Amino acid sequence: MNSSASSGKSRKVIALIKLILLVLIIAGIPAFLYFRYGAEIFSKDAAVRVIAYLRANRSTADILIVCIQILQVVICFLPGQPIQFAASYMFSVAKGFALSLIGAVIGTVISFYLAKLLGSEAMELFFGEEKVHDYKRKLDSGRGLLLAFLIYLIPGIPKDLVSYAAGVSNMRFRPFLLAATVGRMPGMLGSLLLGHYYGRQDYRAMIIIAVVVAVILLICYIKRDALISFLDEVEKKDAGAAAGPDDKGNVNG
Protein backbone atom coordinates (compact mmCIF):
# COMPACT_ATOMS: atom_id res chain seq x y z
CA MET A 1 0.00 0.00 0.00
CA ASN A 2 2.78 2.39 0.98
CA SER A 3 4.70 1.37 -2.13
CA SER A 4 1.68 2.14 -4.32
CA ALA A 5 1.13 5.52 -2.66
CA SER A 6 4.82 6.36 -2.99
CA SER A 7 4.75 5.38 -6.67
CA GLY A 8 1.70 7.57 -7.27
CA LYS A 9 3.34 10.52 -5.53
CA SER A 10 6.51 10.06 -7.60
CA ARG A 11 4.50 10.12 -10.82
CA LYS A 12 2.80 13.34 -9.73
CA VAL A 13 6.15 14.94 -8.91
CA ILE A 14 7.58 13.89 -12.27
CA ALA A 15 4.50 15.22 -14.08
CA LEU A 16 4.83 18.53 -12.21
CA ILE A 17 8.55 18.80 -13.09
CA LYS A 18 7.72 18.12 -16.74
CA LEU A 19 5.05 20.81 -16.75
CA ILE A 20 7.38 23.34 -15.10
CA LEU A 21 10.06 22.56 -17.70
CA LEU A 22 7.57 23.11 -20.53
CA VAL A 23 6.36 26.39 -19.02
CA LEU A 24 9.94 27.62 -18.61
CA ILE A 25 10.66 26.91 -22.27
CA ILE A 26 7.40 28.02 -23.90
CA ALA A 27 6.52 30.93 -21.60
CA GLY A 28 9.75 31.69 -19.75
CA ILE A 29 11.81 32.63 -22.80
CA PRO A 30 9.20 35.10 -24.16
CA ALA A 31 8.90 36.59 -20.67
CA PHE A 32 12.68 37.02 -20.51
CA LEU A 33 12.71 38.68 -23.96
CA TYR A 34 9.88 40.99 -22.88
CA PHE A 35 11.60 42.15 -19.71
CA ARG A 36 15.02 42.32 -21.40
CA TYR A 37 14.02 44.20 -24.55
CA GLY A 38 10.56 45.54 -23.79
CA ALA A 39 7.18 45.11 -25.48
CA GLU A 40 8.48 46.48 -28.78
CA ILE A 41 10.23 43.18 -29.50
CA PHE A 42 6.78 41.69 -30.18
CA SER A 43 5.51 44.71 -32.12
CA LYS A 44 4.52 44.82 -35.79
CA ASP A 45 7.91 46.17 -36.83
CA ALA A 46 9.68 43.16 -35.32
CA ALA A 47 11.47 42.50 -38.63
CA VAL A 48 13.08 45.97 -38.52
CA ARG A 49 14.19 45.37 -34.96
CA VAL A 50 15.65 41.97 -35.84
CA ILE A 51 17.57 43.59 -38.72
CA ALA A 52 18.92 46.28 -36.37
CA TYR A 53 19.99 43.60 -33.89
CA LEU A 54 21.75 41.60 -36.60
CA ARG A 55 23.52 44.71 -37.91
CA ALA A 56 24.81 45.43 -34.43
CA ASN A 57 26.13 41.85 -34.27
CA ARG A 58 27.16 41.42 -37.89
CA SER A 59 30.10 39.07 -37.13
CA THR A 60 27.76 36.47 -35.64
CA ALA A 61 24.62 37.34 -37.62
CA ASP A 62 24.43 33.98 -39.42
CA ILE A 63 24.58 32.03 -36.15
CA LEU A 64 22.04 34.39 -34.58
CA ILE A 65 19.59 33.82 -37.46
CA VAL A 66 19.76 30.07 -36.88
CA CYS A 67 19.32 30.48 -33.10
CA ILE A 68 16.41 32.92 -33.43
CA GLN A 69 14.69 30.63 -35.93
CA ILE A 70 15.10 27.70 -33.53
CA LEU A 71 13.47 29.75 -30.75
CA GLN A 72 10.61 30.71 -33.06
CA VAL A 73 9.77 27.07 -33.78
CA VAL A 74 10.16 25.91 -30.17
CA ILE A 75 8.19 28.89 -28.81
CA CYS A 76 5.47 28.00 -31.24
CA PHE A 77 3.25 31.08 -31.01
CA LEU A 78 5.97 33.49 -32.19
CA PRO A 79 5.78 34.48 -35.90
CA GLY A 80 8.55 33.28 -38.19
CA GLN A 81 8.11 35.80 -41.03
CA PRO A 82 10.10 38.66 -39.42
CA ILE A 83 13.08 36.35 -38.91
CA GLN A 84 13.11 35.17 -42.51
CA PHE A 85 12.56 38.73 -43.74
CA ALA A 86 15.61 39.85 -41.76
CA ALA A 87 17.67 36.84 -42.91
CA SER A 88 17.36 37.67 -46.61
CA TYR A 89 17.79 41.40 -45.92
CA MET A 90 21.14 40.70 -44.29
CA PHE A 91 22.24 37.96 -46.66
CA SER A 92 21.24 36.64 -50.07
CA VAL A 93 17.96 34.77 -50.52
CA ALA A 94 19.89 31.49 -50.87
CA LYS A 95 21.93 31.96 -47.69
CA GLY A 96 18.96 33.34 -45.77
CA PHE A 97 16.89 30.36 -46.90
CA ALA A 98 19.61 27.90 -45.84
CA LEU A 99 20.04 29.50 -42.41
CA SER A 100 16.31 29.77 -41.78
CA LEU A 101 15.73 26.18 -42.87
CA ILE A 102 18.54 24.87 -40.65
CA GLY A 103 17.02 26.71 -37.68
CA ALA A 104 13.52 25.47 -38.49
CA VAL A 105 14.70 21.86 -38.79
CA ILE A 106 16.60 22.01 -35.48
CA GLY A 107 13.60 23.67 -33.81
CA THR A 108 11.29 20.96 -35.11
CA VAL A 109 13.64 18.25 -33.80
CA ILE A 110 13.71 19.90 -30.36
CA SER A 111 9.92 20.33 -30.24
CA PHE A 112 9.27 16.75 -31.33
CA TYR A 113 11.58 15.14 -28.80
CA LEU A 114 10.69 17.60 -26.04
CA ALA A 115 7.08 16.46 -26.42
CA LYS A 116 8.20 12.82 -26.28
CA LEU A 117 10.19 13.54 -23.11
CA LEU A 118 7.40 15.43 -21.35
CA GLY A 119 4.52 13.23 -22.57
CA SER A 120 0.89 13.78 -23.54
CA GLU A 121 -0.29 14.98 -20.13
CA ALA A 122 2.11 17.92 -20.08
CA MET A 123 1.13 18.86 -23.64
CA GLU A 124 -2.56 18.70 -22.79
CA LEU A 125 -2.16 20.76 -19.62
CA PHE A 126 -0.31 23.52 -21.48
CA PHE A 127 -1.96 23.55 -24.91
CA GLY A 128 -5.38 22.15 -24.06
CA GLU A 129 -6.58 18.56 -24.11
CA GLU A 130 -9.03 18.97 -27.00
CA LYS A 131 -6.52 20.72 -29.25
CA VAL A 132 -3.76 18.17 -28.64
CA HIS A 133 -6.15 15.24 -29.15
CA ASP A 134 -7.39 16.77 -32.41
CA TYR A 135 -3.88 17.09 -33.82
CA LYS A 136 -2.89 13.62 -32.57
CA ARG A 137 -5.98 12.09 -34.20
CA LYS A 138 -5.08 13.70 -37.53
CA LEU A 139 -1.43 12.70 -37.36
CA ASP A 140 -2.25 9.12 -36.37
CA SER A 141 -4.63 8.69 -39.30
CA GLY A 142 -3.60 6.71 -42.37
CA ARG A 143 -2.47 9.83 -44.17
CA GLY A 144 -0.91 11.65 -41.27
CA LEU A 145 2.11 12.67 -43.33
CA LEU A 146 -0.07 14.25 -46.02
CA LEU A 147 -2.07 16.07 -43.36
CA ALA A 148 1.10 17.34 -41.66
CA PHE A 149 2.43 18.53 -45.02
CA LEU A 150 -0.81 20.37 -45.84
CA ILE A 151 -1.03 21.95 -42.38
CA TYR A 152 2.44 23.45 -42.81
CA LEU A 153 1.84 24.35 -46.46
CA ILE A 154 -1.57 26.03 -46.35
CA PRO A 155 -1.65 29.55 -44.85
CA GLY A 156 -4.34 30.21 -42.27
CA ILE A 157 -4.50 26.69 -40.82
CA PRO A 158 -3.29 26.66 -37.19
CA LYS A 159 0.11 24.97 -37.03
CA ASP A 160 1.54 26.31 -33.78
CA LEU A 161 1.84 23.01 -31.96
CA VAL A 162 1.98 20.41 -34.74
CA SER A 163 5.54 19.34 -33.96
CA TYR A 164 4.63 18.93 -30.27
CA ALA A 165 1.54 16.87 -31.15
CA ALA A 166 3.65 14.77 -33.53
CA GLY A 167 6.01 13.99 -30.66
CA VAL A 168 3.22 12.40 -28.61
CA SER A 169 1.57 10.74 -31.61
CA ASN A 170 2.49 7.45 -33.27
CA MET A 171 4.12 9.23 -36.19
CA ARG A 172 7.71 8.33 -36.95
CA PHE A 173 10.18 11.19 -36.66
CA ARG A 174 12.01 11.17 -39.99
CA PRO A 175 8.93 11.12 -42.26
CA PHE A 176 7.31 13.85 -40.15
CA LEU A 177 10.43 16.01 -40.28
CA LEU A 178 10.54 15.68 -44.07
CA ALA A 179 6.85 16.57 -44.46
CA ALA A 180 7.15 19.56 -42.10
CA THR A 181 10.33 20.85 -43.74
CA VAL A 182 9.05 20.63 -47.32
CA GLY A 183 5.65 22.02 -46.30
CA ARG A 184 7.06 25.16 -44.72
CA MET A 185 9.42 25.97 -47.63
CA PRO A 186 7.02 28.00 -49.86
CA GLY A 187 5.91 30.33 -47.05
CA MET A 188 9.49 30.73 -45.88
CA LEU A 189 10.63 31.58 -49.41
CA GLY A 190 7.93 34.25 -49.73
CA SER A 191 9.11 36.00 -46.56
CA LEU A 192 12.73 35.76 -47.72
CA LEU A 193 11.93 37.32 -51.10
CA LEU A 194 10.15 40.22 -49.40
CA GLY A 195 13.21 40.87 -47.21
CA HIS A 196 15.54 40.60 -50.20
CA TYR A 197 13.67 43.14 -52.30
CA TYR A 198 13.18 45.42 -49.31
CA GLY A 199 16.98 45.51 -48.91
CA ARG A 200 17.32 46.41 -52.60
CA GLN A 201 14.51 48.98 -52.27
CA ASP A 202 12.72 47.24 -55.13
CA TYR A 203 9.25 48.12 -53.91
CA ARG A 204 7.59 47.07 -57.15
CA ALA A 205 8.77 43.48 -56.67
CA MET A 206 7.72 43.64 -53.02
CA ILE A 207 4.23 44.77 -54.00
CA ILE A 208 3.92 41.95 -56.55
CA ILE A 209 5.00 39.34 -53.99
CA ALA A 210 2.77 40.87 -51.31
CA VAL A 211 -0.23 40.82 -53.68
CA VAL A 212 0.40 37.19 -54.64
CA VAL A 213 0.75 36.18 -50.99
CA ALA A 214 -2.34 38.22 -50.04
CA VAL A 215 -4.40 36.53 -52.78
CA ILE A 216 -3.26 33.08 -51.60
CA LEU A 217 -4.05 33.99 -47.99
CA LEU A 218 -7.46 35.37 -49.00
CA ILE A 219 -8.34 32.23 -50.94
CA CYS A 220 -7.19 30.04 -48.07
CA TYR A 221 -9.15 32.19 -45.60
CA ILE A 222 -12.32 32.05 -47.69
CA LYS A 223 -11.92 28.32 -48.23
CA ARG A 224 -10.58 27.60 -44.74
CA ASP A 225 -13.67 25.64 -43.67
CA ALA A 226 -13.52 23.56 -46.86
CA LEU A 227 -9.79 22.95 -46.39
CA ILE A 228 -10.23 21.91 -42.76
CA SER A 229 -13.19 19.71 -43.76
CA PHE A 230 -11.01 18.12 -46.43
CA LEU A 231 -8.35 17.34 -43.83
CA ASP A 232 -11.01 15.92 -41.51
CA GLU A 233 -12.50 13.77 -44.29
CA VAL A 234 -9.08 12.41 -45.25
CA GLU A 235 -8.46 11.62 -41.61
CA LYS A 236 -11.83 9.85 -41.14
CA LYS A 237 -11.53 7.76 -44.30
CA ASP A 238 -8.03 6.62 -43.53
CA ALA A 239 -8.77 6.01 -39.86
CA GLY A 240 -11.72 3.84 -40.92
CA ALA A 241 -9.63 1.97 -43.49
CA ALA A 242 -6.85 1.42 -40.95
CA ALA A 243 -9.29 0.02 -38.37
CA GLY A 244 -11.17 -2.26 -40.76
CA PRO A 245 -10.32 -5.96 -41.12
CA ASP A 246 -8.97 -7.29 -44.39
CA ASP A 247 -10.13 -10.45 -46.19
CA LYS A 248 -8.07 -12.63 -43.88
CA GLY A 249 -9.58 -11.15 -40.76
CA ASN A 250 -6.47 -9.14 -39.87
CA VAL A 251 -6.74 -5.55 -38.81
CA ASN A 252 -5.25 -3.15 -41.33
CA GLY A 253 -2.68 -0.49 -40.39
Side-chain angles (χ1 to χ4, degrees):
M1 184 73 175
N2 291 336
S3 176
S4 176
S6 177
S7 177
K9 184 179 291 186
S10 296
R11 285 197 297 270
K12 289 180 180 178
V13 170
I14 292 171
L16 180 60
I17 291 172
K18 288 180 176 181
L19 181 60
I20 291 172
L21 177 61
L22 183 64
V23 171
L24 287 174
I25 293 171
I26 304 298
I29 295 175
F32 169 77
L33 293 174
Y34 178 86
F35 288 110
R36 174 65 176 82
Y37 299 104
E40 64 272 9
I41 195 171
F42 301 111
S43 62
K44 293 180 179 179
D45 60 344
V48 177
R49 298 184 182 280
V50 173
I51 290 170
Y53 179 72
L54 293 174
R55 277 179 167 173
N57 299 273
R58 190 174 292 274
S59 61
T60 57
D62 48 354
I63 297 173
L64 288 171
I65 282 290
V66 174
C67 293
I68 296 171
Q69 184 67 69
I70 292 170
L71 285 177
Q72 184 272 320
V73 175
V74 174
I75 306 170
C76 51
F77 54 83
L78 295 178
Q81 292 83 1
I83 301 164
Q84 294 136 25
F85 186 97
S88 60
Y89 180 90
M90 291 292 297
F91 309 107
S92 64
V93 173
K95 184 174 181 179
F97 181 76
L99 294 173
S100 298
L101 197 61
I102 289 169
V105 168
I106 295 173
T108 303
V109 172
I110 293 172
S111 302
F112 185 94
Y113 282 108
L114 184 63
K116 276 204 176 301
L117 172 67
L118 300 180
S120 294
E121 289 184 358
M123 298 299 108
E124 291 165 9
L125 282 170
F126 195 84
F127 295 114
E129 183 176 350
E130 184 177 346
K131 198 171 184 180
V132 172
H133 281 188
D134 183 53
Y135 274 114
K136 281 179 63 180
R137 188 172 63 249
K138 285 179 167 59
L139 295 174
D140 284 336
S141 67
R143 290 191 180 178
L145 285 176
L146 173 61
L147 294 170
F149 172 76
L150 291 174
I151 288 170
Y152 277 101
L153 178 68
I154 299 170
I157 293 181
K159 52 180 68 64
D160 52 353
L161 61 88
V162 180
S163 55
Y164 285 100
V168 294
S169 73
N170 296 322
M171 181 167 285
R172 290 182 296 128
F173 169 69
R174 288 184 181 179
F176 169 73
L177 181 63
L178 179 62
T181 301
V182 176
R184 70 166 86 240
M185 282 181 178
M188 184 178 286
L189 186 58
S191 299
L192 286 159
L193 287 171
L194 281 174
H196 173 71
Y197 288 119
Y198 177 76
R200 290 172 172 262
Q201 297 186 342
D202 189 344
Y203 300 114
R204 181 180 179 182
M206 285 185 66
I207 291 171
I208 292 172
I209 295 170
V211 168
V212 170
V213 172
V215 169
I216 294 172
L217 285 171
L218 181 62
I219 293 171
C220 290
Y221 178 78
I222 294 172
K223 298 292 185 180
R224 67 190 184 282
D225 292 335
L227 289 168
I228 293 172
S229 296
F230 168 73
L231 296 180
D232 288 337
E233 284 302 316
V234 171
E235 171 200 344
K236 289 175 184 176
K237 287 179 182 178
D238 285 288
D246 58 21
D247 292 337
K248 296 180 180 180
N250 299 319
V251 176
N252 295 322

